Amino acid sequence: MLNIGVLVSGGGTNLQSIIDGTKFGDIKGDVKVVISNKEDAYALERAKHNNIESVYETDEDTVIQILKNHNVNLVVLAGYLKIISPKFVESFRDKIINIHPSLIPSFCGEGYYGEKVHQAVIDYGVKVTGATVHFVDEKADNGPIIMQNTVDVSHDDDAKSVAKKVLEVEHKILNESIKLFCENKLSIQGRRVFINE
């Protein structure tokens, strides 16, 4: 069983999906701590309801130490609206994954988060969007891609309806990626991530 630390900034629906995955045995891991950079993030309440330590913390060095104190093997950025530093990346090299609500390399990088991503999708007029789970490196939304899934964008969609569609695939691919990591089935070769049977 691997120890998982989850970093959040908002409501925590992805967090809930991860917790459910660990509870029902799909994910061979245990969420040890949930940390938010927003004091009023509902995700912290979700953690408390599931008897998981929840921490409001904005200082990155302290966040790193908390994760190390819990012997965390995998850090999941699940709607964490803060760019982490190279020091953070180096502390957990190839052990940090992020979920992003678009098909990277489209609509990603600094400034692209939350509903801003989905509005950009609508404004650009793309016909397909989706979600991406990737390993985290020193650049925003840049690390090797683990998994992606798509949704269609209809002519009558708006940012909110696209967000709802994308969230469904986010839950699916994030949990699947965590499951594979916990089973030691992911390997990185350059920019490519391979799933080992």
Side-chain angles (χ1 to χ4, degrees):
M1 282 286 234
L2 295 190
N3 295 332
I4 301 168
V6 184
L7 274 54
V8 293
S9 295
T13 60
N14 274 315
L15 168 65
Q16 189 63 57
S17 180
I18 297 164
I19 292 169
D20 292 345
T22 59
K23 272 188 175 176
F24 300 117
D26 299 330
I27 296 171
K28 307 256 183 307
D30 192 15
V31 179
K32 290 293 187 184
V33 63
V34 173
I35 306 171
S36 178
N37 63 326
K38 305 280 186 187
E39 195 170 10
D40 60 350
Y42 185 66
L44 293 174
E45 292 302 312
R46 290 181 190 272
K48 287 174 190 168
H49 293 161
N50 288 277
N51 299 313
I52 298 167
E53 184 175 342
S54 60
V55 181
Y56 160 62
E57 183 56 65
T58 58
D59 178 69
E60 189 177 77
D61 286 339
T62 306
V63 170
I64 292 169
Q65 195 54 55
I66 291 167
L67 293 168
K68 287 186 173 179
N69 289 347
H70 284 83
N71 299 311
V72 164
N73 309 106
L74 173 65
V75 180
V76 181
L77 309 183
Y80 189 58
L81 303 182
K82 186 176 181 182
I83 304 293
I84 64 173
S85 73
K87 178 184 177 182
F88 193 121
V89 173
E90 194 51 49
S91 298
F92 297 95
R93 175 72 62 187
D94 298 335
K95 294 177 181 175
I96 310 170
I97 64 173
N98 180 50
I99 180 81
H100 183 76
S102 77
L103 297 173
I104 291 175
S106 297
F107 310 109
C108 67
E110 287 194 49
Y112 282 103
Y113 60 87
E115 209 161 283
K116 291 183 177 186
V117 175
H118 307 303
Q119 190 57 55
V121 162
I122 296 294
D123 293 345
Y124 204 88
V126 298
K127 306 303 182 192
V128 175
T129 187
T132 303
V133 181
H134 65 94
F135 282 105
V136 174
D137 65 11
E138 287 79 3
K139 295 180 184 173
D141 301 328
N142 181 72
I145 292 168
I146 301 168
M147 202 168 280
Q148 292 180 303
N149 205 338
T150 61
V151 299
D152 292 330
V153 181
S154 311
H155 68 277
D156 56 350
D157 269 323
D158 60 15
K160 284 194 183 336
S161 61
V162 170
K164 190 174 177 185
K165 289 181 187 177
V166 170
L167 194 59
E168 287 182 22
V169 299
E170 280 187 42
H171 293 167
K172 183 179 174 187
I173 65 173
L174 181 57
N175 274 26
E176 184 62 23
S177 297
I178 294 169
K179 178 179 186 288
L180 290 167
F181 185 96
C182 289
E183 293 171 3
N184 199 30
K185 289 186 176 176
L186 299 178
S187 61
I188 306 170
Q189 295 177 29
R191 283 211 51 84
R192 300 175 72 190
V193 177
F194 293 88
I195 299 171
N196 311 308
E197 289 307 319

